[in-house]
Amino acid sequence: MKPDCRSFRIRLESTLEGARAQSELTSLAWHEHLLACAECRALLESEEALELLLESLPKPHLPPRLARRVLARLRAGDERREAQLDRLLELDADTRAPGDLARRVLAGLEAERVQPAETRLDALLERARAVDLPEGLGKRVLAHVAEERQLTRRRKPVLMRNSVRLAAAAGLLALLFAWAVWHKSTAPTRERDVAHESVDPRMLEHIEVLEQWDFLRRNDLDAVLSTLPHSDQLLLEMGSEEGLLGG
Amino acid sequence: MANEFDDDPGVRWMRAWQAGDESAFDALVEAYSGQVYALLTRFLGPRANREDLVQEVFLRVVRARERYEPSARFSTFLFRIAYNLSVNETQRGIAREAGRVELGGADHARSPGGMGELADERAPRPDEALERDDVVREVRAAIGRLPENQRMALLLAKYEELPYSEIAEVLGSSEKAVKSLIHRARESLRETLAAYLEEEDA
């Protein structure tokens, strides 16, 4: 939108805002911008025509004696309420009801009249806002906070001592782990080499049997030995003679 | 407590009534019931219960008697009540209409919420002769199809000649928002009534 158009439209809107009659709007037609701008001219013509249309609407027809009727109906509501109260007062006088029933009902209805539902709701919400606090709550909260602070202060050195211990333990574990890694990478190799050099695979099987020697001796040794192959029996005897087996 | 609106006749009557002058309330109803009725007619269309609504507006005034404190002209206060009641009424009307569609399966091609479709067709139509005029009917229908806040803003500006600041009070919004509402309302009307506007130009 061109700056000229913008300023024209602002003027048009403010004229519309204050326009009490269509004639005020037509005075805009003399604005020099309109001579040059067809778009704004069309807009003004359209607004003028709309104003004419809106002004052409007939005024709503008012029912005769509207105010009187509205007042009468409002009063009828009041009278109905008063008649109800009269009946209640009569009833109260007849029955001599304890506690002055009619007066209490009257007060209730009067409250209803002067205090609309919205106000009563406000009052209820206001009442709901006020919460009954337990006695001494503030003091108890403060005491609890102070106690917590003291506990925190006491816990602090203990925590620091514990953290020194933890750091030392972690260092030790790291050393052990490093040693284990080193040991794993070296020791198995040597064991494997020894096994290959000095122990026959068949011997390893027998050693497993020999490791159960104590158990076997306590049982029926001969019976067990008899189940072994002859060569194994010889090997066992030889091992026993050379002191390889525990006695 | 003195107030800048104390010169407004409605505010003066309200003050007098609050002070115990019961006749001041009669004066208020006499002076403003027609204005409220006209606004309700323009906003809701020619439905039957406009008089009940006027009564309801003044009943709210009765209820506000004790706590009323002028923050605008009295008419602005009344229009605000009337607007809130009308919006409630429109919502109820839409609910009724929906109920009828659901129960009767009638073909309601008219858009919901507008005042034409909410008009009670059994109601007496005092403006009937004038409504035979196509243009009048179309303009009213076009106004009736505007969203409620745009419609009320336009009606208050055009027919009640309220300044934007007071329209903002009625709608519970800002002056800037009112300006925008009226701008959009006029834009919609120019579009809807384009055919009639050309005729007016001619």
Side-chain angles (χ1 to χ4, degrees), chain B residues 65-97:
Chain B
R65 182 180 183 173
E66 305 297 321
R67 63 193 154 95
Y68 172 79
E69 193 55 51
S71 61
R73 289 192 292 167
F74 181 72
S75 54
T76 308
F77 167 67
L78 269 190
F79 292 155
R80 183 170 182 134
I81 299 174
Y83 174 62
N84 291 335
L85 280 172
S86 306
V87 170
N88 289 346
E89 182 66 16
T90 310
Q91 299 306 321
R92 272 202 295 271
I94 290 170
R96 274 200 302 271
E97 193 76 4

Side-chain angles (χ1 to χ4, degrees), chain A residues 1-16 24-48:
Chain A
M1 197 189 292
K2 288 179 285 184
D4 277 2
C5 294
R6 194 172 296 121
S7 67
F8 173 77
R9 281 167 199 216
I10 289 169
R11 197 174 157 190
L12 174 64
E13 281 205 356
S14 65
T15 309
L16 282 171
E24 284 182 42
L25 198 61
T26 49
S27 68
L28 268 180
W30 300 103
H31 195 284
E32 59 182 15
H33 170 71
L34 288 172
L35 296 171
C37 181
E39 207 180 318
C40 286
R41 206 161 51 237
L43 177 68
L44 177 65
E45 281 166 3
S46 166
E47 288 287 12
E48 278 176 353

Side-chain angles (χ1 to χ4, degrees), chain B residues 35 38-39 42 73 79 155-162:
Chain B
Q35 219 176 341
L39 180 69
R42 287 185 173 118
R73 289 192 292 167
F79 292 155
L155 293 176
L156 290 174
K158 184 66 208 158
Y159 300 110
E160 302 302 331
E161 300 183 355
L162 251 63

Side-chain angles (χ1 to χ4, degrees), chain A residues 13 16-17 20 45-47 49-51 53-55 57 60-63 67-69 73 75, chain B residues 26 30 33 37 42 51-52 55 63 67 126-127 130 135 158-159 161 164 183 186 190 197 201:
Chain A
E13 281 205 356
L16 282 171
E17 184 179 340
R20 297 287 172 260
E45 281 166 3
S46 166
E47 288 287 12
L50 180 61
E51 279 295 297
L53 270 186
L54 293 174
E55 280 172 21
L57 286 186
H61 172 87
L62 297 185
R68 293 275 133 212
R69 283 216 302 278
R73 288 166 74 179
R75 282 193 187 116
Chain B
D26 293 20
E30 288 281 355
S33 55
Y37 186 90
R42 287 185 173 118
E51 207 169 307
D52 295 336
Q55 188 193 330
R63 287 173 181 170
R67 63 193 154 95
D127 305 328
L130 292 164
V135 181
K158 184 66 208 158
Y159 300 110
E161 300 183 355
Y164 285 7
H183 177 80
R186 294 187 75 96
R190 283 205 311 273
L197 294 178
D201 284 348

Side-chain angles (χ1 to χ4, degrees), chain A residues 61-235:
Chain A
H61 172 87
L62 297 185
R65 302 174 65 246
L66 171 72
R68 293 275 133 212
R69 283 216 302 278
V70 169
L71 277 170
R73 288 166 74 179
L74 287 169
R75 282 193 187 116
D78 280 351
E79 276 165 18
R80 246 197 330 273
R81 194 176 294 117
E82 274 162 26
Q84 284 169 344
L85 292 177
D86 286 347
R87 276 200 299 280
L88 280 169
L89 283 165
E90 281 166 21
L91 180 75
D92 194 23
D94 287 349
T95 58
R96 298 175 195 283
D100 203 1
L101 170 71
R103 250 181 252 284
R104 279 186 284 124
V105 174
L106 179 74
L109 287 172
E110 184 59 19
E112 169 66 30
R113 193 178 71 79
V114 298
Q115 200 186 22
E118 291 89 339
T119 317
R120 285 202 312 280
L121 178 62
D122 283 348
L124 279 175
L125 290 172
E126 198 56 41
R127 219 184 296 163
R129 184 203 294 210
V131 177
D132 290 334
L133 296 176
E135 218 171 302
L137 175 70
K139 276 183 190 164
R140 283 205 298 281
V141 170
L142 284 173
H144 180 72
V145 170
E147 197 182 331
E148 270 301 308
R149 277 191 189 142
Q150 275 183 350
L151 273 174
T152 315
R153 265 189 231 122
R154 277 204 296 271
R155 273 180 206 140
K156 216 170 173 181
V158 176
L159 281 170
M160 283 176 74
R161 280 201 299 276
N162 282 348
S163 56
V164 171
R165 281 178 191 158
L166 279 170
L172 197 60
L173 276 172
L175 278 172
L176 280 170
F177 180 73
W179 177 82
V181 168
W182 172 81
H183 182 74
K184 199 179 175 188
S185 61
T186 52
T189 314
R190 281 180 297 160
E191 275 172 16
R192 214 169 32 246
D193 291 346
V194 171
H196 278 291
E197 281 166 10
S198 60
V199 183
D200 185 86
R202 283 192 68 221
M203 270 300 281
L204 288 173
E205 283 176 30
H206 293 298
I207 285 170
E208 277 177 23
V209 175
L210 295 175
E211 279 172 358
Q212 298 176 53
W213 181 252
D214 283 345
F215 170 74
L216 293 172
R217 205 165 41 177
R218 277 197 299 275
N219 290 287
D220 193 352
L221 182 60
D222 289 334
V224 173
L225 286 173
S226 67
T227 64
L228 294 171
H230 183 66
S231 56
D232 286 351
Q233 285 179 26
L234 288 174
L235 193 66

Side-chain angles (χ1 to χ4, degrees), chain B residues 7-190:
Chain B
D7 286 342
D8 180 69
V11 171
R12 278 208 305 270
W13 279 318
M14 268 307 268
R15 294 277 204 210
W17 186 42
Q18 282 179 318
D21 177 2
E22 295 298 322
S23 70
F25 181 70
D26 293 20
L28 280 172
V29 177
E30 288 281 355
Y32 292 98
S33 55
Q35 219 176 341
V36 173
Y37 186 90
L39 180 69
L40 290 170
T41 304
R42 287 185 173 118
F43 187 77
L44 296 167
R47 64 174 61 198
N49 63 344
R50 282 166 292 170
E51 207 169 307
D52 295 336
L53 286 172
V54 174
Q55 188 193 330
E56 189 59 38
V57 168
F58 283 99
L59 194 60
R60 305 259 170 132
V61 175
V62 170
R63 287 173 181 170
R65 182 180 183 173
E66 305 297 321
R67 63 193 154 95
Y68 172 79
E69 193 55 51
S71 61
R73 289 192 292 167
F74 181 72
S75 54
T76 308
F77 167 67
L78 269 190
F79 292 155
R80 183 170 182 134
I81 299 174
Y83 174 62
N84 291 335
L85 280 172
S86 306
V87 170
N88 289 346
E89 182 66 16
T90 310
Q91 299 306 321
R92 272 202 295 271
I94 290 170
R96 274 200 302 271
E97 193 76 4
R100 272 210 291 275
V101 171
E102 212 168 290
L103 290 170
D107 177 22
H108 288 255
R110 294 169 296 184
S111 68
M115 63 186 190
E117 43 276 48
L118 290 169
D120 190 336
E121 282 163 13
R122 293 159 301 171
R125 303 277 293 270
D127 305 328
E128 213 160 33
L130 292 164
E131 282 204 338
R132 278 188 217 112
D133 183 335
D134 280 353
V135 181
V136 169
R137 199 170 48 235
E138 284 304 317
V139 176
R140 281 182 175 163
I143 293 174
R145 279 193 292 270
L146 291 173
E148 286 156 349
N149 51 3
Q150 286 185 25
R151 197 189 323 160
M152 186 51 93
L154 181 89
L155 293 176
L156 290 174
K158 184 66 208 158
Y159 300 110
E160 302 302 331
E161 300 183 355
L162 251 63
Y164 285 7
S165 58
E166 287 188 32
I167 300 174
E169 284 253 354
V170 173
L171 300 183
S173 76
S174 69
E175 227 177 300
K176 200 177 163 190
V178 168
K179 204 169 186 170
S180 155
L181 285 174
I182 292 177
H183 177 80
R184 279 184 280 149
R186 294 187 75 96
E187 213 166 46
S188 298
L189 290 180
R190 283 205 311 273

